[in-house]
Amino acid sequence: MSLETATIRRSATTGFAARTFATYGQEFIILACIVVLFVAVGLIAPRFVSPTNLTTIFVGNAYIAVAAIGMSMVIISGHIDVSVGSLIGVLATISGTLAVSGYPVWFAWLAPVVVGMVVTSFIGVLVAYVRIPSIVVTLGMLSILKGGLISVTGGAWITNLPPDYLIAQFRLFGIPSPVWFMIILTGLAAMFMRYTAFGRSIYAIGGNGEAARVAGIPVERTTVMIFAIHGLFAGIAAVLFATQLQVIQSTVPPNLELTVITASVVGGVSILGGTGTVVGSTLAAILFAAIGSSLIFLNVSAYWLRAVQGLLILATVLADMARRHRIG
């Protein structure tokens, strides 16, 4: 092999590595953080990496990762939904109520998904056609859902759930079903975003809405569909959340919307839209769950998790701004 050929091959390899890191750099960094965290805390507190605790980390937070997939699509398109925590609380209550009222379990699983898509489609219509900023629409929806849920249910517990309804407690090949949901949905969403015209249109709208319109993308209709897909993932997340335990409390999980949005942003989704991947948001959700568990094993107040999330958001946004400034 000549020196010139070797130089060309080396340059091609270096270029491929650079492009791969530029595209998936955030995912590599988060994955490295997860590995370092598990190794470091596992050396200090071996029970942190016990099968029981690993199951708790992955199963107990899989629904957050699933919700973050839909949220990532919304943020990539240049919008946001701060009502997702309240929506999941309402959908979980609907699902549990149907299950204990004698409806078939399949209906109790399907209804939250359909209702979630209807609610978020309505949000999408207000954003796309009425031109109300998504932050305003979803703040209003947050209050409606949260207030309505407490007013109707009084925060009561839903008990006597049918055993066959608890899908989050099922296992396949020894692996809990929430982990399967998280892995499969992340993989399907990643391929959908990368290899379909609709997925690429989400990036185009978030990068430059007017340019996307000139290119022939129906921006308004696509925006409504993005919110509808987001509602689909919120519905699945609600079912996984509702079926973790034998009982459901009819309230909104505290700070859930912040956790879902943080997972998306720290996972590499630009808060300004146009860039990011759903794989990164899933990895970030796992990282937060691992950090929260590690604080317990290290006897550190769990309140520090909020501080860590805040620091990660600021660092990620600043890095994104610096990258955009460098490219621009």
Side-chain angles (χ1 to χ4, degrees), residues 217-259:
I217 296 174
V219 175
E220 287 79 12
R221 190 175 67 197
T222 303
T223 300
V224 175
M225 293 176 68
I226 292 168
F227 273 94
I229 294 171
H230 166 51
L232 182 149
F233 283 103
I236 297 173
V239 173
L240 295 178
F241 171 73
T243 58
Q244 289 185 97
L245 304 173
Q246 303 288 338
V247 296
I248 306 169
Q249 187 176 16
S250 306
T251 57
V252 175
N255 300 313
L256 180 55
E257 57 278 339
L258 177 63
T259 303

Side-chain angles (χ1 to χ4, degrees), residues 5 27 63 85 124 156 167-168 217 236 249 318:
T5 302
E27 289 82 348
Y63 75 96
I167 191 172
I217 296 174
I236 297 173
Q249 187 176 16
L318 288 173

